Amino acid sequence: MTATLEVADLTIVRDADEARIVDGLSFALGPGEVLGVVGESGSGKSTVALGLLAFARPGARIAGGRVVIDGVDLLALRGGELRDARRRLAAYVAQDPATALNPALALRTQLLESLDGPPAENLDRIRRVLRTVGLPADDAFLRRKPRQLSGGQQQRIAIAMAVVARPRVIVLDEPTTGLDVSTQAKVLALVKQLCADEGIAAIYVSHDLAVVADVADRVIVMYGGELVELVPTDALLGAPRHPYSRALLAAVPSARERQVLHPIRGRAPGVGERDAGCVFRARCDFATDACLERPPLEAEPGGRLVRCVRADEVQRLTRITRVADRPERPGLVCRPAVLEAEGIDAHYGERQVLFNVSLELEPGRCLAVVGESGSGKSTLSRCLIGLHEQYEGRLRLDGEELPLTARARPAAARRELQYVFQNPFGSLNPRRTVGSSIAAALRLFGSDGRRTGAVVAEALERVEISARLAERYPAELSGGQRQRVAIARALACEPKVLLCDEVTSALDVSVQASVIELLRGLIDEGLAMLFVTHDLAIVRSIADSVVVLSEGHVVERGETAAVLDRPSHPYTQGLLADTLELPALAG
Amino acid sequence: MSAPPRTEAVAASREPSARGAGLRRLWAAPRVRWGVLLLAATTAFAFLGGLLAPFDPSQPVGAPYAPPSPGIWLGTDQLGRDVLSRVLHGGAYLAWMAPTSAVLAVAIGAAVGLAAAYWRGWVDTLLMRAMDVVLAFPGILLTLLFVAVFGPLPWLLVTLVVVALVPGVARVIRGAALPVIGREYVQWAKAVGMPSATILRTELLPNVSSPLFVELGVRLMWAVGILASMSFIGYGIQPPAADWGLMVSENRTGLGIQPLAVLAPVVMIVVYTVSGNLIAEGAARVIARTEGRAE
């Protein structure tokens, strides 16, 4: 096999201090092959994606190495030659199609941009590609602007733009992260088919192991800017040989089985925080003194590369999650519901987004609200907390009538209902210390001023954050830590009900696992929880019962096991079928 | 469904500047520091300069438009008064009126902008349309009208400058506050029932402090400009008082014979303006950098 893409010793550094963001990455890729690159935030995977196009973000610089596509070393080219080589040889699909497409230009103009043959031929080519990606190819469609398309259609246009000029290599950076599972399934199938048909070598960058497992032939696992394992996909799933790969797999929830998730302790090293030893050493269960020296990348049979001195011992261990299934909580019929919602109808302006939704939250149980984007699931949680204004229905808290908007509610009710937001980067005031954010909530509910410090410390301890961090500002914390602080702020108010809106969707899987375990612990202590999510695997691992929303209607509800094992509504069945799952593992 | 956090690695790598976030980071910028020092120096010069003046600023010391000579270092003006003494005395008005108007304008403008952004709806419409009306009304006409009726009283001049500056500030601060209001921590504050006044003070105001600082610098510049022009057209500080703007106006006919009588006050006005400019520009750069990095 002659390599289409050959990367040798690619090194990208931070301008300010020459710290390595990507450290000596090498691999080769044949035509039609899809290579997955997985890693968590800060692993350098997006920097690699851009580096393959000989591009570095402002503040970073490609310090060395080769990126050879079809015999042309992109890194050796400059200016016009580089631009020309990029146009002919490589293409890039960004994470967010809405920002990748020019909103002011018609699709036709954007698709034609990279072609330089005769116009009639070009138009032909465009139509063929559009049909391949499953979009209409008529003139009316070509005259449309990007904003007239859905997110999934936009991403397909972005992919069409990438392949239309017949590149040799296509780099896809998290192209399905913002999409619903059903759309994601279609895009993944499309990528696989296009690469096989047109002989394009593809690099598929993602944080989602299940996605990579579905689309890639081989996988690079990155950690702290290094390649720690390069392995055929099946072998990675069956027998990970690097401790990080193994830990990553153990942190992924499954939609099929209810499991206790295993977070990875500690946090990933930032750029410039790495020492001479193994980069994963600080968080590794297998670390020994031998790891104080940076392990070499060992070549193994089957074209496999592993950077670990104890790979054999890692592989011998079975996957731990198999034994630790989480028991389902039986419905506690004797306990009355804490929060009841009846006949919720919600509007956004003229448009009705929720239709007669009712639900009950019981203490010590978690109810998941599942649906795709636009299903109204976030609106539902905003209604319950009283932030959404345009809705009718009846709410009861502990059997007493609850006013619909937060403003009209008595202080006790506002204290007992707490909310945790999706985005950990926006949920804390950047100009307040962590402790002050929590104390602000306490002051509102007239807590004893002298006790505030103790209550704050206690709340932080409950979410496993050191009380010393109370003096820190949010910018000094990682995403996972911020989400924990947001949960601590809610807990400090001693709520009866916690409403969680997609609280883990912005987090890495290993961090997600720790937040899920934390929340599950709180539920077991007697908290009633509403957990809004689009991810069925998370539903399986945390929820006791589930409500499925589609376009504002409840289409199915019941105990988690019953709904996920035997979905009765076609919408739920489709959702389950499209949810990617790591193939069952030997163990 | 949002993207995985790309900024996390950066955020986690311990930013030393996060503490005391806004103002401290601004002070770290050399431009801001120079601007503030220059502003302090000019202000001190304007208030204390009069004590160093060799002559009475309103008494003639020689022939009109006399060139510099020993003892009369900058020559004399159109009435034979010492230019140096008049420059040393002439900043006092500007030095209290300009900052006072700038601070008042930014305070009022910020209050209006925050209120409009926070309550939206009819409050927003009412406040911002009112601002548009003020903005549409030619400031010079307003000045002519009020000064003609009440005379050139200092507090009236300050008020007029404030009225002229508030709409711009309100617009900028409203724009800066809108995205902050969408942030989850403000939503949370509403959900737990934090009083609106507290939300505005503790959640919103600190998070628009950077643009607020830029505004202060820009509006100071504007205030100096407007006040100097008012003096120049004769609607500001009245003769025989010494005032930089007024001096430019009085001595412009003698520009050919005794240029120092005009240049000296012009230089002072320029230095004063540049200090505001440095602060604004430096602050704007810091903000651009910060926003480029965070969220």
Side-chain angles (χ1 to χ4, degrees):
Chain A
M1 179 178 81
T2 52
T4 306
L5 169 69
E6 206 183 326
V7 177
D9 208 24
L10 178 65
T11 300
I12 302 174
V13 299
R14 188 160 66 184
D15 266 337
D17 53 4
E18 300 285 310
R20 293 182 167 201
I21 304 170
V22 175
D23 198 354
L25 186 69
S26 305
F27 61 87
L29 203 55
E33 197 184 356
V34 181
L35 176 73
V37 177
V38 284
E40 299 183 287
S41 311
S43 64
K45 59 186 191 303
S46 284
T47 313
V48 168
L50 291 172
L52 296 178
L53 304 170
F55 182 81
R57 285 209 187 84
R61 181 168 53 80
I62 299 177
R66 289 185 302 136
V67 175
V68 182
I69 304 177
D70 260 0
V72 181
D73 182 3
L74 289 188
L75 299 187
L77 302 177
R78 289 285 168 270
E81 284 181 342
L82 174 58
R83 279 197 296 276
D84 186 56
R86 271 194 200 130
R87 188 178 61 86
R88 278 187 301 114
L89 300 172
Y92 179 78
V93 178
Q95 177 175 332
D96 185 359
T99 56
L101 302 176
N102 185 334
L105 295 182
L107 299 180
R108 180 196 159 102
T109 319
Q110 307 197 44
L111 285 162
L112 277 172
E113 252 169 1
S114 57
L115 295 175
D116 53 5
E121 216 171 275
N122 288 346
L123 215 53
D124 241 34
R125 168 76 183 155
I126 289 177
R127 290 191 208 280
R128 233 188 358 264
V129 172
L130 281 180
R131 275 191 290 271
T132 320
V133 300
L135 291 172
D138 53 283
D139 287 333
F141 185 79
L142 281 172
R143 270 197 301 275
R144 289 215 207 164
K145 302 276 172 67
R147 62 164 186 280
Q148 292 163 300
L149 308 179
S150 72
Q153 285 176 320
Q154 286 180 351
Q155 197 56 288
R156 274 187 261 176
I157 287 287
I159 292 173
M161 269 175 76
V163 299
V164 74
R166 300 188 178 85
R168 304 299 301 138
V169 172
I170 176 170
V171 179
L172 302 114
D173 190 1
E174 307 252 10
T176 63
T177 298
L179 306 177
D180 284 325
V181 282
S182 54
T183 323
Q184 166 172 292
K186 286 181 202 136
V187 170
L188 290 179
L190 170 67
V191 168
K192 277 187 283 193
Q193 184 208 336
L194 272 175
C195 291
D197 291 357
E198 310 235 345
I200 303 172
I203 311 288
Y204 196 104
V205 176
S206 178
H207 69 286
D208 190 332
L209 271 170
V211 166
V212 168
D214 181 72
V215 75
D217 305 309
R218 288 188 297 156
V219 179
I220 285 180
V221 180
M222 286 195 71
Y223 183 80
E226 286 182 7
L227 188 165
V228 295
E229 187 162 4
L230 190 162
V231 51
T233 309
D234 301 339
L236 171 68
L237 301 173
R241 285 175 61 80
H242 194 281
Y244 176 64
S245 313
R246 180 174 174 278
L248 210 51
L249 284 166
V252 177
S254 159
R256 276 199 302 261
E257 289 172 308
R258 191 175 175 88
Q259 296 165 345
V260 175
L261 305 178
H262 292 271
I264 307 177
R265 65 190 153 86
R267 91 188 155 81
V271 175
E273 289 180 355
R274 297 154 202 167
D275 58 16
C278 171
V279 69
F280 188 58
R281 192 179 73 240
R283 306 171 75 189
C284 182
D285 293 331
F286 297 85
T288 64
D289 285 347
C291 304
L292 287 170
E293 218 169 287
R294 188 179 170 198
L297 202 53
E298 300 278 2
E300 297 185 353
R304 195 166 176 171
L305 298 173
V306 181
R307 198 189 287 282
C308 180
V309 290
R310 303 186 64 191
D312 290 331
E313 289 151 80
V314 174
Q315 188 180 354
R316 231 176 290 131
L317 267 159
T318 53
R319 254 188 104 199
I320 29 189
T321 46
R322 298 291 115 171
V323 275
D325 284 1
R326 196 200 312 278
E328 300 230 2
R329 284 215 145 207
L332 301 170
V333 270
C334 48
R335 280 212 235 181
V338 206
L339 182 70
E340 294 161 84
E342 216 182 290
I344 303 276
D345 286 316
H347 292 79
Y348 262 110
E350 295 294 297
R351 200 163 53 89
Q352 186 162 4
V353 288
L354 287 177
F355 300 84
N356 192 24
V357 176
S358 303
L359 53 83
E360 289 183 2
L361 299 180
E362 295 160 30
R365 304 231 321 152
C366 174
L367 171 71
V369 175
V370 193
E372 296 186 291
S373 47
S375 61
K377 59 187 191 303
S378 282
T379 310
L380 177 59
S381 64
R382 288 176 59 85
C383 287
L384 297 181
I385 194 65
L387 283 173
H388 191 73
E389 306 261 324
Q390 296 174 290
Y391 80 108
E392 299 107 50
R394 290 183 57 176
L395 296 178
R396 270 189 302 277
L397 183 65
D398 270 337
E400 299 206 7
E401 199 75 23
L402 183 68
L404 297 186
T405 59
R407 259 178 296 126
R409 292 178 184 171
R414 292 195 306 250
R415 182 176 67 73
E416 286 168 2
L417 271 180
Q418 288 289 322
Y419 197 91
V420 182
F421 292 89
Q422 173 178 10
N423 175 10
F425 296 92
S427 55
L428 300 173
N429 184 343
R431 297 290 156 84
R432 274 186 191 277
T433 60
V434 162
S436 152
S437 274
I438 300 174
L442 292 172
R443 255 196 312 280
L444 275 178
F445 301 118
S447 102
D448 181 357
R450 282 161 304 176
R451 288 252 311 127
T452 304
V455 176
V456 168
E458 196 185 310
L460 286 173
E461 294 294 343
R462 272 181 87 184
V463 298
E464 292 152 41
I465 293 238
S466 156
R468 283 181 298 118
L469 291 186
E471 298 303 312
R472 296 280 181 83
Y473 284 87
E476 298 172 88
L477 306 182
S478 70
Q481 285 176 319
R482 289 188 217 192
Q483 204 59 301
R484 283 165 184 274
V485 171
I487 295 169
R489 178 176 60 185
L491 292 181
C493 300
E494 295 169 43
K496 288 185 172 165
V497 179
L498 191 60
L499 309 169
C500 297
D501 182 11
E502 299 257 17
V503 291
T504 61
S505 72
L507 304 176
D508 282 321
V509 276
S510 66
V511 182
Q512 165 177 293
S514 73
V515 170
I516 293 287
E517 288 306 315
L518 166 68
L519 291 176
R520 191 60 233 184
L522 296 172
I523 297 164
D524 293 340
E525 285 169 26
L527 196 65
M529 185 173 297
L530 179 87
F531 197 96
V532 173
T533 182
H534 66 281
D535 187 338
L536 289 177
I538 293 177
V539 173
R540 179 73 90 166
S541 41
I542 194 169
D544 301 293
S545 51
V546 55
V547 164
V548 183
L549 270 185
S550 170
E551 288 170 8
H553 297 273
V554 174
V555 295
E556 184 157 6
R557 67 167 80 224
E559 298 291 295
T560 303
V563 172
L564 295 191
D565 291 341
R566 295 171 301 278
S568 59
H569 193 276
Y571 178 77
T572 320
Q573 289 162 359
L575 217 51
L576 260 169
D578 287 330
T579 297
L580 291 173
E581 182 81 359
L582 288 176
L585 306 169
Chain B
M1 266 116 293
S2 89
R6 280 154 186 249
T7 48
E8 187 165 346
V10 186
S13 62
R14 211 101 320 156
E15 285 173 44
S17 49
R19 179 167 284 268
L23 293 181
R24 193 161 303 196
R25 201 180 299 157
L26 289 179
W27 180 244
R31 272 165 205 273
V32 175
R33 215 178 280 196
W34 279 111
V36 171
L37 288 179
L38 205 57
L39 184 65
T42 357
T43 308
F45 179 91
F47 283 127
L48 306 174
L51 304 174
L52 305 172
F55 299 103
D56 184 330
S58 48
Q59 293 302 318
V61 293
Y65 294 135
S69 58
I72 303 174
W73 302 108
L74 296 179
T76 63
D77 68 357
Q78 101 277 21
L79 295 177
R81 296 169 297 194
D82 179 35
V83 169
L84 178 62
S85 300
R86 286 182 68 77
V87 166
L88 284 168
H89 275 282
Y93 286 107
L94 201 62
W96 78 260
M97 284 165 72
T100 309
S101 355
V103 167
L104 281 177
V106 169
I108 298 172
V112 170
L114 287 179
Y118 180 74
W119 278 289
R120 304 300 303 269
W122 65 268
V123 179
D124 190 16
T125 313
L126 190 76
L127 287 173
M128 295 322 284
R129 291 303 79 77
M131 293 292 117
D132 287 346
V133 170
V134 177
L135 212 54
F137 201 81
I140 202 78
L141 238 115
L142 211 65
T143 311
L144 295 181
L145 178 70
F146 278 92
V147 174
V149 175
F150 296 101
L153 306 163
W155 65 262
L156 180 65
L157 296 177
V158 168
T159 311
L160 288 170
V161 174
V162 169
V163 170
L165 296 183
V166 161
V169 180
R171 269 179 177 284
V172 171
I173 297 305
R174 175 178 176 274
L178 279 177
V180 177
I181 285 163
R183 298 321 300 252
E184 289 83 351
Y185 54 87
V186 178
Q187 299 292 305
W188 173 82
K190 284 184 179 175
V192 293
M194 196 181 271
S196 295
T198 316
I199 295 183
L200 286 171
R201 200 184 68 243
T202 65
E203 311 297 316
L204 280 181
L205 189 61
N207 286 295
V208 296
S209 66
S210 304
L212 215 57
F213 205 60
V214 175
E215 279 303 290
L216 205 55
V218 173
R219 302 304 154 183
L220 179 67
M221 246 158 68
W222 278 69
V224 171
I226 298 176
L227 286 167
S229 332
M230 281 178 172
S231 295
F232 182 83
I233 59 170
Y235 274 78
I237 301 306
Q238 296 297 305
D243 177 76
W244 294 339
L246 187 59
M247 286 172 72
V248 177
S249 156
E250 289 170 341
N251 298 315
R252 68 184 191 280
T253 44
L255 193 61
I257 337 167
Q258 220 300 60
L260 280 176
V262 173
L263 277 181
V266 163
V267 166
M268 290 317 296
I269 294 174
V270 167
V271 169
Y272 201 77
T273 317
V274 163
S275 67
N277 191 347
L278 280 174
I279 297 173
E281 167 97 18
R285 279 170 188 243
V286 171
I287 294 168
R289 249 204 328 269
T290 319
E291 283 174 355
R293 187 184 58 222
E295 272 99 341

